[in-house]
Amino acid sequence: MTEEVLREAVSDWVEETTPRERIHSVIERTYDAASADEIAEQAETTSKTARKHLAELSREGFVTETSDSDRQATLYKRSSTSLVLEEAARINDSISKPELVDRITEMEAEIKKYREQTGVDSPEDAALQDTSVDKELLFEWRGTARNLRFAKAALAISQAEHAVEQPHAG
Amino acid sequence: MTDPRTESHALRGAPDGKALRRFREIFETQEPLACGELDDALNPQTLALHLSDGVGPAETARIDVRWSTTDDYNVHYTDSSGVDLRWDRHPHEYFSPPAEFYFHPPPAAASTPTDVEPSCIDENRIDIVARAVHKLWRTIYEEHSFSDANTAENPP
């Protein structure tokens, strides 16, 4: 029982984009490995087309290929390296280095506060210990932890680029 | 059995800034008079889509979007007349049968089992949900009424 509004939304998306753009959209945020068939279905296209574009995106470093012996299929996911570099570049384009340093310090302080509030070291520990920690808080904590990693990567890249650009002495 | 009063409405995964940016881009393209804003550029949790007008008598309105790395989401309409409604996707364990896609109807985006309805947006792809939300917004706006906010299949 598909709703009219969803059917229209799907056909609008298909009309407004190419299969390659849709595959790119889907795999850009595929953080857990999926098969070409699954990605094709999400992207409203054929498995053959998906395989072709995913192979290309894999050669470009945007996608990581793994094989799964259980399913005897090639699996694809967004390359973590590609994702981290993309987020770092976006951060460095949008914020000054001093501001970035300040924000990193702030996010580290937020995480320290979460630890003090909950008595656990990480959201993963909270799940393992089966504590009654507020799930909303855990969601925010996972976000801060993830974004802190991107921010730190941005700072490291910015510092490395600066070091590389320095003229050699004497 | 979980007590509905303590039922968590939390999303799985982590807040996904990339997803919020994509939702903003799609919605602003479909609705040039809307203006999206992340609550924080470096550590975003929520996208606020400021609408130029509310449904019916409301002069201003906003759609707040939260989206996770596992494609759980909240899409929450709120306006200056005090009306709230929400479409979401996340585990709702205390409903029978347990399901993931729910509509929390106006006027207060109610969360009790008797008030919620299965969402007409039973979809987790952001490219589809953003377009569907825009269509539903246009429908309720043009009709000056919330009755089609979760459009049901017409009976035969």
Side-chain angles (χ1 to χ4, degrees):
Chain A
M1 191 171 101
T2 321
E3 295 295 343
E4 185 65 37
V5 89
L6 275 192
R7 266 200 301 270
E8 280 179 22
V10 171
S11 66
D12 284 358
W13 185 42
V14 169
E15 226 177 87
E16 291 162 20
T17 54
T18 64
R20 192 187 198 279
E21 283 168 344
R22 291 196 296 281
I23 290 160
H24 190 277
S25 264
V26 168
I27 197 69
E28 185 181 37
R29 293 184 52 252
T30 299
Y31 305 123
D32 294 325
S35 69
D37 288 347
E38 285 163 346
I39 292 160
E41 198 183 324
Q42 297 268 297
E44 303 288 328
T45 187
T46 63
S47 295
K48 184 175 170 188
T49 305
R51 255 179 268 276
K52 178 176 129 194
H53 290 305
L54 288 167
E56 200 182 304
L57 290 168
S58 175
R59 283 193 297 275
E60 289 170 13
F62 194 79
V63 163
T64 308
E65 283 183 28
T66 56
S67 61
D68 181 341
S69 53
D70 284 344
R71 293 160 66 174
Q72 298 189 318
T74 309
L75 301 180
Y76 305 86
K77 65 176 192 148
R78 178 69 195 276
S79 154
S80 308
T81 308
S82 161
L83 178 66
V84 170
L85 288 176
E86 183 187 309
E87 289 298 290
R90 188 187 53 75
I91 289 168
N92 284 332
D93 278 346
S94 65
I95 188 177
S96 74
K97 200 158 95 191
E99 219 180 318
L100 179 57
V101 169
D102 283 346
R103 288 307 321 280
I104 286 172
T105 307
E106 266 171 47
M107 286 195 274
E108 283 170 339
E110 275 169 46
I111 287 176
K112 182 157 178 248
K113 233 169 67 176
Y114 288 132
R115 289 186 177 134
E116 285 164 2
Q117 250 176 287
T118 61
V120 291
D121 259 349
S122 72
E124 293 70 39
D125 281 352
L128 282 173
Q129 288 177 35
D130 194 33
T131 58
S132 58
V133 178
D134 179 46
K135 288 194 178 133
E136 183 60 51
L137 184 152
L138 291 179
F139 181 69
E140 287 175 16
W141 188 351
R142 287 193 292 266
T144 303
R146 186 170 185 265
N147 290 320
L148 175 60
R149 284 186 211 109
F150 290 140
K152 283 179 163 172
L155 183 61
I157 287 167
S158 164
Q159 287 167 336
E161 283 173 348
H162 183 74
V164 161
E165 284 160 12
Q166 291 306 292
H168 297 288
Chain B
M1 186 101 156
T2 320
D3 182 345
R5 289 166 299 174
T6 59
E7 172 74 24
S8 168
H9 293 277
L11 309 183
R12 292 167 292 193
D16 190 334
K18 183 189 280 301
L20 296 178
R21 291 184 171 93
R22 169 97 62 82
F23 200 111
R24 176 175 65 187
E25 192 189 316
I26 294 169
F27 200 90
E28 283 179 348
T29 304
Q30 305 288 331
E31 188 60 55
L33 293 178
C35 181
E37 181 185 11
L38 294 178
D39 58 341
D40 184 308
L42 215 57
N43 191 17
Q45 298 271 345
T46 308
L47 165 69
L49 293 164
H50 297 281
L51 305 166
S52 58
D53 198 1
V55 172
E59 288 187 4
T60 58
R62 213 175 70 227
I63 294 175
D64 288 337
V65 180
R66 308 189 91 195
W67 202 283
S68 87
T69 51
T70 60
D71 292 325
D72 278 352
Y73 58 83
N74 286 333
V75 176
H76 188 112
Y77 168 95
T78 186
D79 72 23
S80 51
S81 294
V83 177
D84 286 273
L85 61 91
R86 185 167 82 248
W87 302 274
D88 59 24
R89 185 221 183 192
H90 63 80
H92 289 75
E93 290 128 356
Y94 62 94
F95 299 138
S96 187
E100 292 188 344
F101 299 95
Y102 276 102
F103 175 68
H104 300 258
S111 284
T112 56
T114 45
D115 291 317
V116 292
E117 303 164 19
S119 175
C120 70
I121 314 179
D122 58 343
E123 171 64 65
N124 63 353
R125 290 173 290 178
I126 192 165
D127 296 277
I128 309 300
V129 174
R131 286 173 169 81
V133 166
H134 174 257
K135 286 177 191 299
L136 290 169
W137 149 249
R138 289 269 13 142
T139 300
I140 62 181
Y141 180 64
E142 281 156 17
E143 291 178 354
H144 305 282
S145 157
F146 293 100
S147 52
D148 285 335
N150 192 40
T151 49
E153 193 77 44
N154 289 325

